Amino acid sequence: MNKYMNRCLFLILFCFQAQLFPAAAQVLSMESAVEATINHYPTLAAQRSALEAFRANVQVLRDNRLPNVRLHDQINLGTANGLSGSYFSMGLIVPTSGGRRPDNSMSLASGNIALATTDWEVYNFGRFHAENKLAEADIAVGESGLEREQFALRQVVINTYLDLVWLRQNLKIEQQNLARVDTVRRIINNLVQNGIRPGLDSSLASVELSRAKLSYYQMQEEYRRASVQLATLTGREIDDVQIDTTFNAALLMGEPAPSNVLASHPLLNYRNRLLTRQNAEIDMIRKSALPRISVLASVWGRGTSLDIDNNFGPIGQGFGYSRTNFLLGVAATVNLTDFKRVKTRAVQQQWRVREAGSLLTVEQVQLQNTLTMADSVMATIRLALDELPVTLRSATLAYQQRMSLYNNGIENILGITESLQLLTRVEKQVIDVQRRAVAVRLQKAYATSDFGPFFDLFRRQ
């Protein structure tokens, strides 16, 4: 019966392991996971679209500076009663060109007019240049924003991947603990059946086995959740996600090379370019109120059925062109009130520049603090790593000795249970210390944007 239960237990464990780590799945390294996420994730696609919109805006500005060329032709039929006086048409009153008469006449007159005009803003004291600089600054912000999004997404992928690494190791510990507990339970059951040990020991061993199974199932659930998250990030099916188990723990004992926070860091680069963009907008605002020099040209032809004495003639006579004119000119336009508006807008923009500068300083301080913190705790972490083999060896010996004493009738079931739990805690503590050491290395990589030494921890040598 015991042999049958033992086979069932390991069959269940084998099935769970096969479900978690499918043999057909392609092994996914940490760097491959990062690359796969960056290549497909929707937020990056949105950032790339926004960047292309900024780039397209450069051509929009160029098209807006082309001369306006308008063609117009109309044939009209209506009355022609003129009256002296001035008024604002407000776009509602249709102008009438005709002679003044003592009485209102309802006779019809025809007319024809064709018009071609052009106006071209050729100079505006640097506003075009300021607009170009602002458009270039927007592109730079878009590019650095894409880099920042990629940097942030890299952190998410790495943290998710690390969760799987540590969960897998903890899952292995739970599996080993389950096997040890089951071995102890079978030994105890044999002793109980032979009347060497009391029946209470068998019940306590069964309880400990159930606790070990529950811990294993819980760890399995957490591993599955992390696998789903990594599959979502990388765009893969959940059954295709199998992480690379390579972990060069010995590299954690080495002293990392000194490093500094560089201005080229994606987070700082974004803040720097945003500050440059805000300054560029101030220049554009100030130059938007300066005069605008335009070249104007127009030519038109006119026909009418009224003769030179303002008499009504045949309707068809007005459909041709009897007079032509042209006009050339240079115009300077300035709105004096704009200077007041520009001053107010410039003050408003100055506050945005200060905000951007303050956010840049905050980002610099945070990155420097992260780097300083990582460097300061690394030595202590290495001491803990150095102590781990001693702790693990001692816990293993304690378990073996307790088991030997129990077999000789000297130790009780509580002592074995305590030694089992102690060994499992120490094994998990080993993983926890390694996790904290890796987290410190990741903090350093985050602060310096140099991930090469960090990825070495998980690369095949």
Side-chain angles (χ1 to χ4, degrees):
M1 184 66 180
N2 289 333
K3 292 182 179 180
Y4 176 76
M5 292 180 64
N6 185 41
R7 290 176 182 174
C8 289
L9 173 62
F10 281 97
L11 182 61
I12 292 173
L13 291 178
F14 177 79
C15 292
F16 281 141
Q17 187 172 4
Q19 185 180 8
L20 285 175
F21 318 124
Q26 183 179 3
V27 176
L28 183 67
S29 68
M30 183 180 293
E31 292 174 270
S32 298
V34 171
E35 183 180 359
T37 303
I38 289 177
N39 287 338
H40 101 282
Y41 207 65
T43 58
L44 293 180
Q47 287 281 345
R48 293 188 186 100
S49 298
L51 176 58
E52 291 304 318
F54 284 133
R55 288 172 177 162
N57 188 52
V58 174
Q59 187 61 44
V60 172
L61 290 176
R62 292 172 183 167
D63 293 344
N64 287 340
R65 294 165 190 168
L66 295 174
N68 297 316
V69 180
R70 301 180 180 89
L71 301 178
H72 177 76
D73 185 271
Q74 60 177 266
I75 298 174
N76 303 307
L77 183 66
T79 59
N81 295 296
L83 192 64
S84 299
S86 300
Y87 55 87
F88 292 101
S89 72
M90 304 299 290
L92 304 175
I93 302 176
V94 180
T96 297
S97 177
R100 291 176 294 168
R101 306 173 187 279
D103 298 315
N104 193 62
S105 175
M106 297 306 295
S107 299
L108 297 179
S110 62
N112 186 16
I113 183 169
L115 175 68
T117 65
T118 180
D119 61 273
W120 187 16
E121 187 176 331
V122 294
Y123 186 69
N124 48 32
F125 298 92
R127 183 171 60 86
F128 285 162
H129 179 71
E131 289 177 348
N132 289 339
K133 297 295 289 184
L134 182 60
E136 292 170 1
D138 282 333
I139 293 175
V141 170
E143 292 173 342
S144 59
L146 178 60
E147 293 175 1
R148 185 180 72 159
E149 186 69 22
Q150 290 175 344
F151 182 82
L153 200 55
R154 180 189 290 115
Q155 292 299 115
V156 174
V157 176
I158 290 175
N159 284 321
T160 304
Y161 195 97
L162 288 176
D163 286 343
L164 281 174
V165 170
W166 307 131
L167 285 170
R168 180 160 184 162
Q169 293 192 20
N170 279 294
L171 193 61
K172 184 177 180 180
I173 290 173
E174 293 293 349
Q175 185 175 347
Q176 292 172 348
N177 179 59
L178 186 55
R180 286 194 296 258
V181 171
D182 183 62
T183 300
V184 171
R185 180 188 63 82
R186 286 187 291 109
I187 293 174
I188 292 174
N189 284 343
N190 288 332
L191 294 174
V192 170
Q193 289 174 1
N194 293 326
I196 301 175
R197 286 290 180 176
L200 177 61
D201 286 8
S202 178
S203 299
L204 292 175
S206 297
V207 170
E208 193 64 25
L209 180 63
S210 296
R211 292 180 66 253
K213 286 182 180 179
L214 291 175
S215 297
Y216 180 81
Y217 298 152
Q218 181 181 357
M219 195 63 61
Q220 183 192 45
E221 177 188 346
E222 293 178 10
Y223 185 90
R224 197 69 177 176
R225 290 179 185 273
S227 297
V228 171
Q229 183 174 357
L230 185 63
T232 303
L233 289 170
T234 57
R236 299 191 175 201
E237 296 294 333
I238 178 62
D239 293 333
D240 294 336
V241 174
Q242 182 178 350
I243 63 172
D244 191 345
T245 57
T246 302
F247 177 46
N248 303 307
L251 296 179
L252 293 174
M253 299 300 298
E255 178 103 18
S259 54
N260 297 308
V261 177
L262 302 178
S264 58
H265 192 288
L267 300 182
L268 296 182
N269 189 38
Y270 173 77
R271 294 298 178 187
N272 267 315
R273 292 189 174 184
L274 186 59
L275 179 60
T276 301
R277 190 264 175 210
Q278 300 295 52
N279 280 315
E281 186 167 354
I282 286 183
D283 188 42
M284 193 275 295
I285 289 173
R286 289 172 176 167
K287 291 181 178 179
S288 64
L290 297 179
R292 306 179 184 188
I293 308 300
S294 301
V295 174
L296 308 175
S298 180
V299 58
W300 67 96
R302 179 73 186 273
T304 179
S305 62
L306 297 174
D307 62 17
I308 192 172
D309 295 323
N310 206 31
N311 296 316
F312 292 93
I315 294 296
Q317 185 177 336
F319 297 153
Y321 301 109
S322 58
R323 295 290 187 272
T324 58
N325 294 280
F326 73 91
L327 186 65
L328 299 174
V330 176
T333 305
V334 62
N335 187 343
L336 297 179
T337 312
D338 279 347
F339 288 102
K340 172 61 177 175
R341 298 190 182 105
V342 162
K343 182 178 179 181
T344 304
R345 290 177 60 198
V347 170
Q348 180 188 40
Q349 188 62 24
Q350 284 285 5
W351 288 109
R352 291 174 179 164
V353 170
R354 292 185 183 183
E355 177 190 14
S358 298
L359 291 175
L360 172 60
T361 303
V362 169
E363 203 76 69
Q364 289 172 330
V365 171
Q366 289 178 344
L367 289 175
Q368 187 59 53
N369 286 344
T370 300
L371 180 59
T372 302
M373 180 69 71
D375 289 337
S376 65
V377 302
M378 237 170 229
T380 305
I381 291 290
R382 282 196 296 272
L383 292 176
L385 289 170
D386 191 51
E387 188 65 25
L388 288 179
V390 177
T391 307
L392 183 59
R393 185 168 54 253
S394 300
T396 304
L397 289 174
Y399 162 69
Q400 293 172 349
Q401 292 170 359
R402 286 284 183 92
M403 194 65 198
S404 177
L405 292 173
Y406 182 85
N407 288 333
N408 293 323
I410 301 174
E411 184 63 85
N412 58 32
I413 183 63
L414 297 179
I416 296 179
T417 301
E418 181 182 352
S419 64
L420 275 172
Q421 294 176 351
L422 175 62
L423 178 56
T424 302
R425 286 199 303 270
V426 169
E427 289 174 337
K428 290 185 176 181
Q429 190 174 20
V430 171
I431 304 302
D432 183 65
V433 173
Q434 291 177 344
R435 179 188 60 78
R436 288 189 284 119
V438 170
V440 171
R441 293 298 184 96
L442 181 57
Q443 287 178 353
K444 189 176 181 68
Y446 174 86
T448 60
S449 188
D450 181 12
F451 286 85
F454 175 79
F455 286 141
D456 286 341
L457 296 171
F458 303 92
R459 286 173 179 156
R460 297 183 182 273
Q461 301 298 316

PDB file of all heavy atoms in Angstrom, residues 265-278:
ATOM      1  N   HIS A 265      21.728  58.432 -20.096  1.00  0.00           N
ATOM      2  CA  HIS A 265      20.731  57.518 -19.521  1.00  0.00           C
ATOM      3  C   HIS A 265      19.351  57.840 -20.122  1.00  0.00           C
ATOM      4  O   HIS A 265      18.983  59.018 -20.250  1.00  0.00           O
ATOM      5  CB  HIS A 265      20.688  57.698 -18.002  1.00  0.00           C
ATOM      6  CG  HIS A 265      19.931  56.622 -17.290  1.00  0.00           C
ATOM      7  ND1 HIS A 265      18.556  56.515 -17.356  1.00  0.00           N
ATOM      8  CD2 HIS A 265      20.346  55.593 -16.500  1.00  0.00           C
ATOM      9  CE1 HIS A 265      18.156  55.483 -16.633  1.00  0.00           C
ATOM     10  NE2 HIS A 265      19.216  54.904 -16.101  1.00  0.00           N
ATOM     11  N   PRO A 266      18.583  56.818 -20.540  1.00  0.00           N
ATOM     12  CA  PRO A 266      17.290  57.095 -21.193  1.00  0.00           C
ATOM     13  C   PRO A 266      16.369  58.011 -20.389  1.00  0.00           C
ATOM     14  O   PRO A 266      15.667  58.847 -20.975  1.00  0.00           O
ATOM     15  CB  PRO A 266      16.688  55.699 -21.355  1.00  0.00           C
ATOM     16  CG  PRO A 266      17.854  54.790 -21.449  1.00  0.00           C
ATOM     17  CD  PRO A 266      18.898  55.371 -20.534  1.00  0.00           C
ATOM     18  N   LEU A 267      16.351  57.868 -19.081  1.00  0.00           N
ATOM     19  CA  LEU A 267      15.473  58.718 -18.274  1.00  0.00           C
ATOM     20  C   LEU A 267      15.957  60.156 -18.264  1.00  0.00           C
ATOM     21  O   LEU A 267      15.161  61.102 -18.382  1.00  0.00           O
ATOM     22  CB  LEU A 267      15.380  58.170 -16.849  1.00  0.00           C
ATOM     23  CG  LEU A 267      14.840  56.747 -16.699  1.00  0.00           C
ATOM     24  CD1 LEU A 267      14.767  56.350 -15.231  1.00  0.00           C
ATOM     25  CD2 LEU A 267      13.473  56.611 -17.351  1.00  0.00           C
ATOM     26  N   LEU A 268      17.273  60.357 -18.122  1.00  0.00           N
ATOM     27  CA  LEU A 268      17.827  61.711 -18.128  1.00  0.00           C
ATOM     28  C   LEU A 268      17.774  62.314 -19.525  1.00  0.00           C
ATOM     29  O   LEU A 268      17.535  63.521 -19.680  1.00  0.00           O
ATOM     30  CB  LEU A 268      19.267  61.685 -17.624  1.00  0.00           C
ATOM     31  CG  LEU A 268      19.476  61.249 -16.170  1.00  0.00           C
ATOM     32  CD1 LEU A 268      20.949  61.319 -15.807  1.00  0.00           C
ATOM     33  CD2 LEU A 268      18.652  62.102 -15.218  1.00  0.00           C
ATOM     34  N   ASN A 269      18.016  61.486 -20.538  1.00  0.00           N
ATOM     35  CA  ASN A 269      17.976  61.984 -21.910  1.00  0.00           C
ATOM     36  C   ASN A 269      16.596  62.514 -22.251  1.00  0.00           C
ATOM     37  O   ASN A 269      16.452  63.560 -22.901  1.00  0.00           O
ATOM     38  CB  ASN A 269      18.363  60.861 -22.870  1.00  0.00           C
ATOM     39  CG  ASN A 269      18.559  61.361 -24.281  1.00  0.00           C
ATOM     40  OD1 ASN A 269      19.079  62.446 -24.504  1.00  0.00           O
ATOM     41  ND2 ASN A 269      18.138  60.568 -25.251  1.00  0.00           N
ATOM     42  N   TYR A 270      15.560  61.810 -21.800  1.00  0.00           N
ATOM     43  CA  TYR A 270      14.195  62.275 -22.049  1.00  0.00           C
ATOM     44  C   TYR A 270      13.947  63.615 -21.370  1.00  0.00           C
ATOM     45  O   TYR A 270      13.386  64.538 -21.975  1.00  0.00           O
ATOM     46  CB  TYR A 270      13.198  61.238 -21.549  1.00  0.00           C
ATOM     47  CG  TYR A 270      11.757  61.697 -21.612  1.00  0.00           C
ATOM     48  CD1 TYR A 270      11.069  61.710 -22.813  1.00  0.00           C
ATOM     49  CD2 TYR A 270      11.097  62.148 -20.464  1.00  0.00           C
ATOM     50  CE1 TYR A 270       9.747  62.143 -22.878  1.00  0.00           C
ATOM     51  CE2 TYR A 270       9.783  62.578 -20.521  1.00  0.00           C
ATOM     52  CZ  TYR A 270       9.118  62.573 -21.729  1.00  0.00           C
ATOM     53  OH  TYR A 270       7.824  63.025 -21.787  1.00  0.00           O
ATOM     54  N   ARG A 271      14.358  63.730 -20.107  1.00  0.00           N
ATOM     55  CA  ARG A 271      14.160  64.991 -19.379  1.00  0.00           C
ATOM     56  C   ARG A 271      14.958  66.124 -20.006  1.00  0.00           C
ATOM     57  O   ARG A 271      14.483  67.275 -20.078  1.00  0.00           O
ATOM     58  CB  ARG A 271      14.552  64.807 -17.912  1.00  0.00           C
ATOM     59  CG  ARG A 271      13.652  63.853 -17.133  1.00  0.00           C
ATOM     60  CD  ARG A 271      12.232  64.362 -17.077  1.00  0.00           C
ATOM     61  NE  ARG A 271      11.353  63.433 -16.368  1.00  0.00           N
ATOM     62  CZ  ARG A 271      10.035  63.581 -16.291  1.00  0.00           C
ATOM     63  NH1 ARG A 271       9.446  64.591 -16.916  1.00  0.00           N
ATOM     64  NH2 ARG A 271       9.298  62.709 -15.637  1.00  0.00           N
ATOM     65  N   ASN A 272      16.170  65.838 -20.460  1.00  0.00           N
ATOM     66  CA  ASN A 272      16.988  66.868 -21.101  1.00  0.00           C
ATOM     67  C   ASN A 272      16.341  67.376 -22.380  1.00  0.00           C
ATOM     68  O   ASN A 272      16.291  68.583 -22.637  1.00  0.00           O
ATOM     69  CB  ASN A 272      18.380  66.302 -21.410  1.00  0.00           C
ATOM     70  CG  ASN A 272      19.373  66.580 -20.297  1.00  0.00           C
ATOM     71  OD1 ASN A 272      19.436  67.695 -19.783  1.00  0.00           O
ATOM     72  ND2 ASN A 272      20.149  65.571 -19.915  1.00  0.00           N
ATOM     73  N   ARG A 273      15.843  66.453 -23.171  1.00  0.00           N
ATOM     74  CA  ARG A 273      15.240  66.860 -24.442  1.00  0.00           C
ATOM     75  C   ARG A 273      13.903  67.565 -24.222  1.00  0.00           C
ATOM     76  O   ARG A 273      13.541  68.450 -25.004  1.00  0.00           O
ATOM     77  CB  ARG A 273      15.064  65.633 -25.342  1.00  0.00           C
ATOM     78  CG  ARG A 273      16.390  65.071 -25.810  1.00  0.00           C
ATOM     79  CD  ARG A 273      16.240  64.017 -26.857  1.00  0.00           C
ATOM     80  NE  ARG A 273      17.541  63.598 -27.372  1.00  0.00           N
ATOM     81  CZ  ARG A 273      17.710  62.732 -28.367  1.00  0.00           C
ATOM     82  NH1 ARG A 273      16.646  62.183 -28.946  1.00  0.00           N
ATOM     83  NH2 ARG A 273      18.914  62.401 -28.780  1.00  0.00           N
ATOM     84  N   LEU A 274      13.197  67.182 -23.186  1.00  0.00           N
ATOM     85  CA  LEU A 274      11.963  67.889 -22.868  1.00  0.00           C
ATOM     86  C   LEU A 274      12.272  69.322 -22.435  1.00  0.00           C
ATOM     87  O   LEU A 274      11.557  70.266 -22.808  1.00  0.00           O
ATOM     88  CB  LEU A 274      11.214  67.151 -21.758  1.00  0.00           C
ATOM     89  CG  LEU A 274       9.823  67.679 -21.410  1.00  0.00           C
ATOM     90  CD1 LEU A 274       8.904  67.642 -22.627  1.00  0.00           C
ATOM     91  CD2 LEU A 274       9.215  66.895 -20.256  1.00  0.00           C
ATOM     92  N   LEU A 275      13.345  69.501 -21.677  1.00  0.00           N
ATOM     93  CA  LEU A 275      13.767  70.849 -21.285  1.00  0.00           C
ATOM     94  C   LEU A 275      14.154  71.670 -22.515  1.00  0.00           C
ATOM     95  O   LEU A 275      13.788  72.854 -22.636  1.00  0.00           O
ATOM     96  CB  LEU A 275      14.939  70.752 -20.309  1.00  0.00           C
ATOM     97  CG  LEU A 275      15.529  72.077 -19.811  1.00  0.00           C
ATOM     98  CD1 LEU A 275      14.478  72.905 -19.080  1.00  0.00           C
ATOM     99  CD2 LEU A 275      16.728  71.811 -18.904  1.00  0.00           C
ATOM    100  N   THR A 276      14.891  71.059 -23.435  1.00  0.00           N
ATOM    101  CA  THR A 276      15.266  71.756 -24.673  1.00  0.00           C
ATOM    102  C   THR A 276      14.030  72.138 -25.477  1.00  0.00           C
ATOM    103  O   THR A 276      13.957  73.240 -26.044  1.00  0.00           O
ATOM    104  CB  THR A 276      16.173  70.850 -25.521  1.00  0.00           C
ATOM    105  OG1 THR A 276      17.337  70.507 -24.761  1.00  0.00           O
ATOM    106  CG2 THR A 276      16.595  71.542 -26.797  1.00  0.00           C
ATOM    107  N   ARG A 277      13.058  71.258 -25.499  1.00  0.00           N
ATOM    108  CA  ARG A 277      11.828  71.532 -26.238  1.00  0.00           C
ATOM    109  C   ARG A 277      11.065  72.709 -25.643  1.00  0.00           C
ATOM    110  O   ARG A 277      10.551  73.563 -26.366  1.00  0.00           O
ATOM    111  CB  ARG A 277      10.978  70.260 -26.230  1.00  0.00           C
ATOM    112  CG  ARG A 277       9.767  70.323 -27.161  1.00  0.00           C
ATOM    113  CD  ARG A 277       8.521  70.726 -26.437  1.00  0.00           C
ATOM    114  NE  ARG A 277       7.418  70.894 -27.356  1.00  0.00           N
ATOM    115  CZ  ARG A 277       6.421  71.733 -27.174  1.00  0.00           C
ATOM    116  NH1 ARG A 277       6.392  72.502 -26.091  1.00  0.00           N
ATOM    117  NH2 ARG A 277       5.449  71.832 -28.054  1.00  0.00           N
ATOM    118  N   GLN A 278      10.995  72.762 -24.321  1.00  0.00           N
ATOM    119  CA  GLN A 278      10.293  73.873 -23.662  1.00  0.00           C
ATOM    120  C   GLN A 278      11.006  75.203 -23.921  1.00  0.00           C
ATOM    121  O   GLN A 278      10.357  76.232 -24.116  1.00  0.00           O
ATOM    122  CB  GLN A 278      10.195  73.613 -22.156  1.00  0.00           C
ATOM    123  CG  GLN A 278       9.435  72.332 -21.772  1.00  0.00           C
ATOM    124  CD  GLN A 278       7.969  72.373 -22.139  1.00  0.00           C
ATOM    125  OE1 GLN A 278       7.595  72.656 -23.276  1.00  0.00           O
ATOM    126  NE2 GLN A 278       7.105  72.090 -21.183  1.00  0.00           N
TER     127      GLN A 278
END
